[in-house]
Structure formats: C-alpha cells, structure tokens
Amino acid sequence: MALNAIQMILVVIVAFLAGVEGILDQFHFHQPVIACTLIGLVTGNLVPCLILGGSLQMIALGWANVGAAVAPDAALASVASAIILVLGGQGKAGVSSAIALAVPLAVAGLLLTIIARTLATLIVHVMDAAKEGSFGKLEAWHYVAICMQGLRIAIPAGLILAIGAGPVRSLLAAMPAWLTDGLSVGGGMVVAVGYAMVINMMATKEVWPFFALGFVLATIPDLTLIALGTIGIALALIYLTLSKMGGSSNGGNSGSGDPLGDIIDKY
C-alpha cells in the first residue's frame, strides 16, 4: 500500500525513537513488539504488524551483547521488516516473508552499529570540555550522540520509504514460489529457535512443570489468550502463597521453605 506524507513522517519518527531507545532502554521502543505495533498503528496495518512484532520478539529475546560480541540490531530488523510488510500490501500473508527478511537486516544493521560506536569514540574526546567546567557543551554533545543513534535507524527507514510501495511490491511478487515457501519455513524455524533459546536460559526444575501445563492448556481451542493469562496469574499466586507458607503448616516438619520445590526435588 502507498503511504501519504503524514504516515511517512510518523514512521520515520517511530524509527528514530527505536534507534534512541536502543541506547536509553527506558520506554523500549526498540523492542520488536512495540516498534512493529507503532508502525502498524500509524500506517493502518495494526494486526499484521502486531503479529510480526510478536514473532520477532521471540527471536530478539535470544539476542544479547556478550563481551565484544554485538547482537544483531533488533530495532533495525523490526522497523525495516514492518515497513516492507506494509509496503508489500500482503497483510498477514506477508508476515512469514517479513520475518525471514528481518534476520539478515538485523545482521546488516551491525555495520551501522559499528559506525555509530566509532563516531561515539570521537564524541567522547570532544566531551573533554567538561574539564573546563563547560557542562552546557557536555550536555549538548550527549544529545548529539543520542540523536546519532536515532538516525542510525531513521535513515534506513527513510530510504525504504523513498523506494516506494511499487518496487517493494514488485520485488515481493517476483519471488518464485519455492523462495517464498522457503522463507515461510525459515521464518517459522527462526522463531522456534529463538523461543528455544529463551526456554534454555529460563529452564529450571521449578519452571518446567508450569511450562508443560501451559503447553497442554494452549492446545485447548476454547481457551483464549485472556483465559490462558488468567490461569498463569492464578498459578503464580498459588506458587507465591505456598512459598510464603513454607513448612509451618506441616506439623513441624522441616523443609526448605518452598513446599512445591521440595516436592519437585523428590522426583
């Protein structure tokens, strides 16, 4: 679909905020579920972009900076793939292709991250003016550095918008069936791998029973997301209540203070 000037401006603003939040990390505009949702909201494609953001969020949960290793750019992946999804005009049918395109875009975004961080080292030396008591200049250069991070995402977003809906739609339509089917399969596998990475980080013997129970409940077609959320909250409250009770109500029997944990330990 073609976007009007106001929608393009709003998309660029969202992209700028996503880049800024990649450093500030206060309002989480750089998180895929938020960035994609905002782009879908300003472009009138809320549902497809929300699905895209939720899927990318499961992938991004497994991305983290470890030492000198820099994680793929989740902000650029979210913004760029959401714009491509909107311009492609395929709606929900284009989500799988957008997910598959998001991963190489995230890796390509590492180059922009390296450039921004290299320039940031120059700004650090400029900030030596603070030694002279020029705190106003120090604050100004802080804003310059933050805006640079926002432009890191806003400029690629503007370039994709400048290409227009026609070329993007033509590019997506020119993809052969085997490629689009492969992207769909690959996109689903990437989400599954990201979800598996998250489970691997969170997995403990106390958590596994709840995961198994939730997995089974999710297969019941009559249960909505609200119902599943309510069940999850109820289980969490039950667990917290049992944890606070400890072993005091067991007639003086000794325990670790976590009755459910003691039961799991016996297995």
Side-chain angles (χ1 to χ4, degrees):
M1 62 173 292
L3 302 179
N4 56 45
I6 296 178
Q7 289 176 320
M8 290 183 180
I9 293 174
L10 292 175
V11 168
V12 173
I13 292 175
V14 171
F16 182 84
L17 293 176
V20 169
E21 279 300 300
I23 298 298
L24 297 181
D25 201 13
Q26 290 184 341
F27 302 101
H28 297 282
F29 289 135
H30 64 295
Q31 296 294 342
V33 68
I34 296 180
C36 293
T37 300
L38 290 176
I39 291 178
L41 186 63
V42 301
T43 59
N45 291 266
L46 181 59
V47 174
C49 287
L50 183 58
I51 296 174
L52 173 63
S55 301
L56 291 180
Q57 188 67 56
M58 296 306 303
I59 303 174
L61 287 175
W63 292 346
N65 296 330
V66 180
V70 181
D73 196 339
L76 180 60
S78 306
V79 171
S81 61
I83 295 175
I84 293 175
L85 175 63
V86 171
L87 295 180
Q90 296 179 342
K92 297 180 182 178
V95 171
S96 298
S97 298
I99 293 173
L101 292 174
V103 176
L105 287 173
V107 177
L110 291 177
L111 176 61
L112 297 177
T113 301
I114 294 173
I115 294 175
R117 294 189 178 189
T118 302
L119 295 176
T121 58
L122 301 176
I123 294 177
V124 170
H125 294 294
V126 176
M127 287 182 178
D128 288 339
K131 296 179 181 179
E132 306 169 0
S134 179
F135 293 103
K137 184 180 294 185
L138 177 63
E139 184 178 358
W141 279 107
H142 269 98
Y143 284 113
V144 171
I146 292 299
C147 290
M148 180 179 64
Q149 296 294 335
L151 293 175
R152 176 177 60 87
I153 307 298
I155 291 177
L159 292 176
I160 297 175
L161 291 173
I163 294 175
V168 172
R169 191 179 299 111
S170 299
L171 176 63
L172 295 176
M175 292 183 178
W178 61 266
L179 180 58
T180 55
D181 293 342
L183 289 175
S184 300
V185 175
M189 292 178 63
V190 169
V191 175
V193 171
Y195 191 44
M197 293 174 64
V198 175
I199 295 176
N200 187 48
M201 291 187 293
M202 298 175 58
T204 62
K205 55 185 178 182
E206 289 84 5
V207 173
W208 275 116
F210 295 102
F211 172 77
L213 182 60
F215 189 85
V216 173
L217 291 175
T219 61
I220 302 177
D222 294 334
L223 287 178
T224 63
L225 290 177
I226 296 177
L228 290 173
T230 303
I231 294 174
I233 293 174
L235 290 174
L237 293 175
I238 293 172
Y239 183 85
L240 291 175
T241 302
L242 291 175
S243 299
K244 293 178 180 178
M245 289 174 57
S248 60
S249 61
N250 295 331
N253 294 332
S254 61
S256 64
D258 185 359
L260 186 57
D262 293 337
I263 295 174
I264 295 174
D265 289 337
K266 295 178 181 179
Y267 283 99

